[in-house]
């Protein structure tokens, strides 16, 4: 019921923007573009709430297998290409892991990586650098995402994985969000037997990391 009307709005916006109902004036194109962007934000908001509800009701089925983490990371980066290019960000990927796969759920880890990398893109300054680092030790694969964003104030760090929480310095950046991305990531990582954490210094960026078992235990 929530998605249906939004899907219709998205479809009509795309029709207008593609010129399928006639050529738009410059102002009309700008107005419809704004409507399209607002619709996309609402779709993401609805998806966040639906994902949270599914997780809390235990409706997401865990289907583990050997998953290529490098491929998962690359897929997420490609899906964020428009946002990355818009801010002229440089995304560097370093794979120093001897293992090619980790034992996890493909859909869940894709969701977790998407939340973390999207945050790095959202909070990075124009022409900033994002580094995604892969390594392994003691049977665990570690994925680390480092950004040059505003960092997380010390007073906010203990609450960063709480539902609806946003750090005290985020409103000043102008970035929008629901405060559900990291909450969802933490719940999913707990479900698939991994760990998640971060280090951050206000004004100097953040480094979020995930560890996953390389092989089935």
């Amino acid at each position: 019921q929530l998605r249906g009307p939004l899907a219709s709005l998205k479809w009509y916006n795309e029709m207008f923007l593609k010129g399928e109902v006639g050529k738009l004036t410059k102002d009309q194109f700008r107005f419809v573009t704004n409507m399209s962007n607002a619709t996309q934000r609402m779709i993401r908001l609805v998806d966040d709430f639906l994902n949270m509800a599914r997780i809390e009701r235990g409706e997401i089925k865990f289907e583990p297998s050997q998953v290529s983490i490098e491929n998962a990371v690359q897929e997420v980066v490609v899906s964020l290409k428009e946002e990355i290019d818009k801010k002229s960000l440089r995304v560097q990927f370093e794979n120093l892991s001897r293992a090619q796969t980790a034992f996890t759920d493909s859909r869940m880890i894709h969701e977790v990586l998407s939340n973390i990398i999207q945050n790095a893109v959202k909070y990075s300054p124009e022409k900033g650098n994002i580094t995604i680092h892969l390594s392994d030790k003691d049977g665990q694969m570690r994925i680390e995402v480092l950004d040059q964003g505003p960092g997380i104030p010390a007073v906010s760090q203990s609450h960063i994985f709480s539902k609806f929480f946003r750090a005290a310095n985020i409103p000043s950046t102008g970035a929008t969000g629901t405060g559900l991305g990291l909450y969802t990531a933490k719940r999913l990582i707990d479900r698939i037997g991994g760990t998640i954490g971060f280090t951050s210094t206000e004004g100097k960026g953040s480094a979020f990391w995930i560890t996953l078992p390389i092989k089935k235990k």
Side-chain angles (χ1 to χ4, degrees):
Q1 290 175 337
L2 288 169
R3 277 186 169 146
L6 290 171
S8 295
L9 284 171
K10 180 182 178 183
W11 183 67
Y12 282 119
N13 284 331
E14 289 176 350
M15 282 181 58
F16 280 113
L17 292 174
K18 290 177 181 177
E20 295 179 7
V21 291
K23 186 175 181 180
L24 301 178
T25 66
K26 186 176 180 180
D27 282 341
Q28 288 171 336
F29 187 86
R30 177 166 54 86
F31 295 150
V32 177
T33 298
N34 289 340
M35 287 193 296
S36 179
N37 291 338
T39 302
Q40 293 284 17
R41 288 197 299 273
M42 183 60 75
I43 289 172
R44 287 196 294 268
L45 180 64
V46 169
D47 285 343
D48 283 346
F49 278 102
L50 291 177
N51 282 338
M52 179 188 70
R54 290 192 192 100
I55 292 168
E56 293 184 340
R57 291 198 301 263
E59 292 180 355
I60 297 181
K61 188 177 180 181
F62 180 38
E63 298 177 346
S65 62
Q66 293 299 141
V67 177
S68 170
I69 301 302
E70 178 175 351
N71 288 348
V73 169
Q74 299 289 6
E75 287 169 6
V76 170
V77 171
V78 168
S79 72
L80 296 171
K81 185 177 186 303
E82 184 177 346
E83 297 170 53
I84 291 168
D85 290 346
K86 188 176 181 180
K87 298 180 74 172
S88 301
L89 300 176
R90 180 172 178 264
V91 180
Q92 183 177 356
F93 180 68
E94 301 174 347
N95 187 354
L96 303 180
S97 174
R98 294 159 297 177
Q100 298 301 308
T101 62
F103 187 72
T104 186
D105 181 286
S106 179
R107 291 179 302 113
M108 290 189 190
I109 195 58
H110 192 282
E111 179 76 14
V112 172
L113 290 170
S114 181
N115 284 336
I116 292 175
I117 297 173
Q118 189 170 44
N119 273 355
V121 171
K122 181 191 298 185
Y123 298 120
S124 287
E126 298 275 343
K127 298 182 179 179
N129 295 319
I130 296 172
T131 302
I132 304 171
H133 184 84
L134 235 62
S135 60
D136 66 81
K137 185 178 181 182
D138 299 329
Q140 299 284 313
M141 183 177 288
R142 181 182 173 102
I143 310 110
E144 191 167 19
V145 181
L146 302 93
D147 65 52
Q148 297 176 324
I152 303 168
V155 69
S156 298
Q157 293 190 9
S158 62
H159 306 287
I160 206 66
F161 294 112
S162 300
K163 189 193 301 185
F164 302 124
F165 182 79
R166 303 189 78 208
N169 60 338
I170 292 305
S172 64
T173 68
T176 58
T178 60
L180 287 174
L182 291 175
Y183 169 79
T184 299
K186 179 70 164 62
R187 292 295 294 266
L188 289 177
I189 282 293
D190 289 346
R191 179 72 182 86
I192 58 182
T195 60
I196 184 171
F198 69 95
T199 57
S200 184
T201 302
E202 188 172 7
K204 295 184 179 180
S206 303
F208 278 84
W209 52 263
I210 303 163
T211 65
L212 299 165
I214 293 173
K215 294 181 180 180
K216 180 179 180 180
K217 293 183 180 179

